[in-house]
Amino acid sequence: MTIALYNTASRTTEELRPVEDGHVGIYVCGATVQGEPHIGHLRSASVFDQLRRWLLYRGYSVTLIRNVTDIDDKILSKSDEAGRPWFAHAFMYERAFTDAYAALDVLPPSYEPRATGHITEMIELIERLIVAGHAYPALDDCGDVYFDSTSWSDYGELTNQRIDEMEPAGDSELRGKKDPRDFALWKAHKSGEPETASWPSPWGRGRPGWHIECSAMSMKYLGANFDIHGGGLDLRFPHHENELAQARAAGDRFANIWMHSGLLNVGGDKMSKSLGNSVFASDLFARFSPLAVRYFLTSAGYRSILEFSAEAMERQTASLDRLANFLDRARQALGDDAPALPNVHSGYADRSVDVPEEFAAALDDDLGVPRALSVVFATVTEGAKLLDSASDRDRLGRIVAEVELMLDILGVNPSAEVWARGGADAKLESALDALVAGLAEQRAAAKAEKDFATADAIRDTLAAAGIVIEDTADGYRYHLRDN
């Protein structure tokens, strides 16, 4: 068994060779909690959740660290506009992100460090960089500290750029810099900023720059050399480039593999705040179920551009409905013989079946989810034939177990308890059950009186509404027709 992943740094697909046998350490850049989570945040979280689930299935233990950036320029600005303390603003949106991840059944991280809780580690890393000759206090004694980009010959290695092709760093003013491309490691406290948004340091009160946060936090919890660093493609430069430069310049190996999830387009354009076309989690969940949203996020390869539209959501929802209808029908048919649900929290160690070899090969090859989904649908097709012919219950039970295990690894198993319907959906389902039960009773009475015309008319009325009713030895069952 070999798992291969595309490494942004080498621009090749490489075998995963964990630093520690049997264990994989992953750091994923989390949210800067300035505002609501959007679909791009949800995609990145879903991708690395799938990777984690697959590693667990393959027998690895996994430590996944996902940070929270709870202090930066944007948080201070947005909180001031909203008229609330910066820390209250950050915490409010941190909770919004947590709720959105939970709605999608993204497994909680092993630990979720906040930037404000790791100022000491950041200061220590900055001091190491100064001693190594790769950082310096601002030349105008303003209290800022900068990374000396020209001192590190490998600066640009992650994104394959030459330093003379780079734009000036946009995270700080030009004052006190040796070079415009030098970026801030420490930002001096400014007049008008809350005193609570600053900490003491050898260079005066201030707060960390954005990039130093992740370098310090990832190495604190995963060590100076760890397996995978992940995030959205938009973080590749300057954030991840700067993280890598800081860590390597300080003498640390840092991440072996860099993984980046692809961007999203909305209406043919890249989703961005400047275009005003961001799709927020709250709006998505108001229109679509969280399961449908997660399935949509699963529908494309993780490195590809994902096109969002209502039509695309509807297409993927129809595919999801096909899976859900098969599993509902199969579980009804199997009754007490239906298999137990897969359990990611056991690392799938208690599974009764293995995934098909083709599914495993797809995910081993750079998390090839579209290929893996094609295996799921092929298996469902085989199961539907057994279900329609009412033959080989043992094989049907095995297929149900395989399908649910595959879908659970992808985070989209409709049978999972986390997706159990509630609220308005539960009321609608209860109402539908009652209506079908009433019509089924009338149909059974008509058949008993040999009034087959009436019985057929009831069946046709249900079919016209997209409901398929079936007679079994134990009575009737029904399901919604696949589109």
Side-chain angles (χ1 to χ4, degrees):
M1 179 269 295
T2 298
I3 294 176
L5 300 169
Y6 183 81
N7 187 352
T8 305
S10 66
R11 291 167 287 283
T12 61
T13 301
E14 300 179 7
E15 180 181 347
L16 173 63
R17 295 174 177 169
V19 173
E20 177 186 341
D21 287 346
H23 178 82
V24 178
I26 305 172
Y27 184 88
V28 178
C29 280
T32 298
V33 285
Q34 57 167 310
E36 287 187 70
H38 57 61
I39 192 171
H41 298 122
L42 303 185
R43 185 186 193 192
S44 179
S46 297
V47 164
F48 291 101
D49 186 59
Q50 288 174 338
L51 174 63
R52 182 183 186 182
R53 288 169 183 253
W54 181 239
L55 291 170
L56 289 171
Y57 173 85
R58 279 306 200 187
Y60 291 100
S61 62
V62 179
T63 299
L64 188 144
I65 306 298
R66 185 182 67 217
N67 75 296
V68 175
T69 295
D70 58 342
I71 182 68
D72 85 332
D73 294 345
K74 293 176 182 177
I75 291 173
L76 293 181
S77 174
K78 296 285 187 181
S79 63
D80 186 57
E81 291 174 10
R84 64 173 68 95
W86 65 270
F87 48 84
H89 184 89
F91 185 60
M92 180 178 73
Y93 286 114
E94 180 183 336
R95 292 183 64 183
F97 274 86
T98 299
D99 290 346
Y101 296 149
L104 292 181
D105 195 30
V106 171
L107 299 175
S110 306
Y111 186 60
E112 195 165 22
R114 294 186 182 125
T116 53
H118 297 78
I119 303 298
T120 299
E121 290 83 356
M122 297 172 203
I123 290 173
E124 289 174 350
L125 181 53
I126 294 170
E127 289 179 319
R128 287 171 58 198
L129 287 166
I130 292 174
V131 170
H134 297 298
Y136 60 94
L139 301 179
D140 63 355
D141 297 321
C142 67
D144 291 350
V145 180
Y146 300 112
F147 182 83
D148 189 347
S149 56
T150 59
S151 74
W152 185 244
S153 60
D154 289 333
Y155 187 49
E157 62 181 314
L158 179 65
T159 51
N160 196 29
Q161 295 186 82
R162 293 168 51 185
I163 191 168
D164 56 8
E165 297 171 341
M166 295 182 187
E167 298 291 328
D171 64 344
S172 55
E173 299 174 11
L174 293 177
R175 65 179 192 184
K177 289 186 178 183
K178 293 180 180 179
D179 187 285
R181 290 157 296 202
D182 296 347
F183 55 88
L185 302 174
W186 187 259
K187 295 185 174 185
H189 178 67
K190 297 180 181 65
S191 175
E193 292 182 344
E195 189 73 13
T196 54
S198 67
W199 289 261
S201 82
W203 317 284
R205 291 195 69 86
R207 53 189 169 83
W210 179 31
H211 314 299
I212 198 70
E213 296 176 359
C214 287
S215 294
M217 288 188 285
S218 59
M219 292 192 289
K220 178 179 177 66
Y221 295 101
L222 296 175
N225 181 209
F226 57 94
D227 300 304
I228 299 170
H229 193 309
L233 188 64
D234 56 325
L235 297 177
R236 205 169 51 126
F237 187 86
H239 187 48
H240 289 170
E241 187 72 72
N242 292 351
E243 275 191 69
L244 177 60
Q246 292 163 166
R248 293 278 177 86
D252 297 317
R253 178 71 183 84
F254 211 49
N256 289 341
I257 293 177
W258 290 80
M259 292 180 66
H260 292 95
S261 56
L263 302 176
L264 278 112
N265 280 359
V266 179
D269 294 318
K270 174 186 172 184
M271 188 180 73
S272 69
K273 292 176 184 175
S274 61
L275 293 175
N277 63 351
S278 296
V279 179
F280 294 104
S282 57
D283 296 327
L284 275 173
F285 296 152
R287 295 181 62 190
F288 307 101
S289 72
L291 175 56
V293 172
R294 174 136 191 185
Y295 188 84
F296 168 75
L297 296 172
T298 298
S299 62
Y302 80 90
R303 289 194 288 127
S304 64
I305 293 175
L306 185 59
E307 295 278 350
F308 174 81
S309 66
E311 294 76 18
M313 280 293 306
E314 289 167 2
R315 287 195 301 271
Q316 296 304 329
T317 299
S319 296
L320 176 63
D321 287 345
R322 179 186 169 196
L323 299 173
N325 287 341
F326 164 72
L327 291 172
D328 284 346
R329 292 174 60 203
R331 281 192 164 275
Q332 285 184 44
L334 291 168
D336 293 340
D337 294 330
L341 292 170
N343 182 11
V344 64
H345 300 289
S346 72
Y348 301 112
D350 54 0
R351 63 184 184 262
S352 59
V353 297
D354 293 327
V355 299
E357 290 183 6
E358 298 88 349
F359 181 91
L363 292 192
D364 282 343
D365 184 9
D366 195 29
L367 209 63
V369 171
R371 283 174 51 206
L373 273 174
S374 70
V375 177
V376 173
F377 279 101
T379 309
V380 166
T381 297
E382 180 185 352
K385 292 177 181 176
L386 292 175
L387 187 57
D388 291 340
S389 63
S391 63
D392 200 344
R393 286 172 58 86
D394 289 342
R395 176 58 183 154
L396 178 61
R398 183 176 181 83
I399 283 176
V400 169
E402 288 179 355
V403 168
E404 290 184 338
L405 177 58
M406 289 188 283
L407 292 175
D408 205 77
I409 289 168
L410 299 179
V412 291
N413 177 17
S415 300
E417 293 181 8
V418 69
W419 305 120
R421 293 178 178 176
D425 283 346
K427 292 179 181 178
L428 288 172
E429 187 171 357
S430 177
L432 180 62
D433 286 343
L435 288 171
V436 173
L439 290 171
E441 185 177 344
Q442 294 176 32
R443 181 169 176 264
K447 290 176 69 174
E449 296 174 4
K450 300 188 183 303
D451 183 0
F452 298 113
T454 298
D456 289 346
I458 294 172
R459 180 199 62 205
D460 293 343
T461 297
L462 289 168
I467 300 168
V468 178
I469 190 166
E470 300 173 338
D471 296 314
T472 73
D474 300 319
Y476 78 93
R477 66 180 183 225
Y478 80 90
H479 64 274
L480 300 180
R481 184 175 59 238
D482 292 339
N483 291 330

